Amino acid sequence: MKTDDKLLLRAIRGENAGSPPPVWLMRQAGRYLPEYRELRQKADGFLNLCYTPEYAIEATMQPIRRFGFDASIMFSDILVVPHALGRNVWFEPGEGPRLDPMNIGNALPVFDEDAFHSHLKPVYETVAGLRESLPAETALIGFAGAPWTLATYMAAGRGKDEQEHARKWMFTDPDSFAALIDGLADAVAQYLIRQIDSGAEVVQIFDSWASALAPNAFDRYCIAPTKKIVETVRAVHPNTPIMGFPRGCGASYEQFIRETGVDGVSIDQGMSPDWAANALQPHGAVQGNLDPMHMIVGGDAMKRDVDRIVSALGDGPFVFNLGHGITPQADSANVEALLKHIRG
Ligand code: 1CP
């Protein structure tokens, strides 16, 4: 099937892809699947899983085989970008990602594009291998973390409540913080271009901690770098759709979709689907936004919320998804029930 005909691509390009809508779930590969836990064991470390194309392809394919989603997202992590920029990154078993924290005023080394791409070569090989392995109708999504979200991890050395390290840096020494953000925007744009060169048909920029930015900071550290990434990627790949996910930014989703030039946005579960239909769909595709808790609980409450979302957004350009990633506690039977309910 040609890229243009795939359901997900039609929706993101602004068409109504009809009923049922295309569906995939953020973090659809991962610890809620026994086959992932087995693979994770075999891979001997999370980063090794990300950097071994054979394993990363297998992790990506697992939820496609099991559930037949309309799209797959390459298996990797947002933190491979700071890693490729020379920051130390590791995974603390049972806890999560860790990095050597940066101090206020620190700068990234001069961008060595060859070293960056050579570090990330396994990711590009994963993308190319996936285009060979995926069913003809399944779209392939590439992704990267947005500069602000990457900076929050790089400043704190880990996920941290309120993103306090990055916010402190931003106000203490705005020039060096802006330099960090702009350097990350350049690297992320080059990374996404290579993913598309390798076969990604759409890319999504995850700004998971956009919620921590006050309005002026949102303009400078979320909108501006995203706009720059979109322009840089578009200059090379004008026809590849770009999705943004400034999670938790509330009414600012409207500013984001108008000003960054993205083709669509993923919305979190805090947003009203009716509001999104009026304020966002005139400007682009909307993806979302079921509470991931429904993947733990299931049942009629899940079905009611699915119906509410589909009836609000289903007449415009729409992709069904969760409002954030599926959690390790999710029950795969609820994912199956979700798909059955959406697809009938
Ligand atoms: O198939 C898929 O959907 C999974 C691919 C994927 C993606 C898109 C993974 C695998 N990570 C991500 C993106 C990612 N990583 C984001 C942005 C999306 C979001 O907000 O969920 C973020 C913030 C991260 C950082 C990260 N990586 C965390 C959160 C830590 C924190 O406290 O803030 C964690 C736990 C990871 C590890 C990770 N990444 C992916 C998986 C399956 C895991 C669990 C690792 C394991 O197996 O132990």
Side-chain angles (χ1 to χ4, degrees):
M1 191 185 278
K2 290 206 314 284
T3 286
D4 283 354
D5 298 332
K6 298 185 187 183
L7 221 50
L8 180 99
L9 274 295
R10 287 175 45 201
I12 298 179
R13 286 182 203 289
E15 275 181 58
N16 179 264
S19 177
V23 50
W24 68 282
L25 305 183
M26 286 190 269
R27 297 266 190 120
Q28 63 194 17
R31 287 169 289 178
Y32 76 107
L33 293 177
E35 60 268 35
Y36 172 83
R37 294 196 297 269
E38 201 177 299
L39 180 69
R40 172 82 158 77
Q41 202 81 25
K42 194 163 104 184
D44 190 27
F46 178 72
L47 285 176
N48 208 26
L49 180 52
C50 293
Y51 291 131
T52 309
E54 183 197 335
Y55 293 152
I57 290 169
E58 173 56 23
T60 312
M61 293 301 294
Q62 286 174 345
I64 303 302
R65 274 191 222 114
R66 200 189 250 262
F67 304 114
F69 290 116
D70 293 286
S72 65
I73 181 158
M74 66 165 192
F75 190 86
S76 185
D77 195 76
I78 60 167
L79 298 172
V80 299
V81 164
H83 202 205
L85 291 170
R87 304 303 305 169
N88 198 12
V89 178
W90 69 100
F91 276 75
E92 211 55 71
E95 290 192 44
R98 293 286 184 275
L99 303 86
D100 285 338
M102 291 174 81
N103 294 318
I104 290 174
N106 282 174
L108 287 173
V110 176
F111 185 44
D112 178 343
E113 206 171 323
D114 289 343
F116 179 76
H117 289 310
S118 119
H119 181 104
L120 294 166
K121 199 163 160 240
V123 177
Y124 309 140
E125 288 174 5
T126 297
V127 171
L130 280 167
R131 280 301 292 274
E132 308 273 304
S133 312
L134 284 164
E137 65 278 12
T138 314
L140 176 56
I141 305 170
F143 74 91
W148 159 248
T149 288
L150 294 175
T152 69
Y153 285 93
M154 295 165 81
R158 56 181 299 175
K160 191 85 177 76
D161 287 352
E162 311 295 337
Q163 291 66 51
E164 59 186 21
H165 287 72
R167 281 166 53 237
K168 193 171 188 185
W169 183 347
M170 160 203 314
F171 296 126
T172 310
D173 188 354
D175 289 348
S176 65
F177 193 71
L180 172 64
I181 291 287
D182 294 345
L184 288 169
D186 290 339
V188 165
Q190 296 312 316
Y191 181 45
L192 292 176
I193 287 169
R194 285 291 176 101
Q195 291 179 28
I196 300 167
D197 291 343
S198 307
E201 296 166 293
V202 45
V203 291
Q204 177 155 326
I205 303 167
F206 285 89
D207 217 344
S208 304
W209 300 118
S211 53
L213 290 165
N216 288 341
F218 185 76
D219 293 348
R220 177 63 187 89
Y221 301 123
C222 176
I223 300 268
T226 303
K227 183 166 187 270
K228 186 172 168 199
I229 292 167
V230 170
E231 286 169 357
T232 309
V233 173
R234 284 261 162 77
V236 181
H237 291 295
N239 298 319
T240 303
I242 304 174
M243 296 290 286
F245 183 31
R247 186 167 72 97
C249 76
S252 300
Y253 273 111
E254 188 182 351
Q255 182 197 355
F256 181 92
I257 200 170
R258 276 193 287 104
E259 293 184 4
T260 59
V262 293
D263 296 274
V265 289
S266 234
I267 56 172
D268 59 88
Q269 65 266 23
M271 301 309 295
S272 146
D274 293 310
W275 179 85
N278 289 320
L280 304 179
Q281 277 183 327
H283 304 288
V286 171
Q287 177 172 273
N289 69 339
L290 188 73
D291 187 335
M293 181 56 74
H294 284 304
M295 298 296 92
I296 298 177
V297 179
D300 287 345
M302 170 186 88
K303 290 178 191 165
R304 275 197 300 275
D305 276 356
V306 171
D307 293 346
R308 202 172 47 86
I309 292 167
V310 173
S311 75
L313 291 162
D315 293 333
F318 171 56
V319 176
F320 191 92
N321 208 314
L322 302 178
H324 195 202
I326 193 165
T327 55
Q329 299 78 24
D331 183 343
S332 62
N334 291 332
V335 177
E336 248 161 67
L338 170 74
L339 283 167
K340 186 150 177 275
H341 188 65
I342 293 173
R343 289 175 172 171

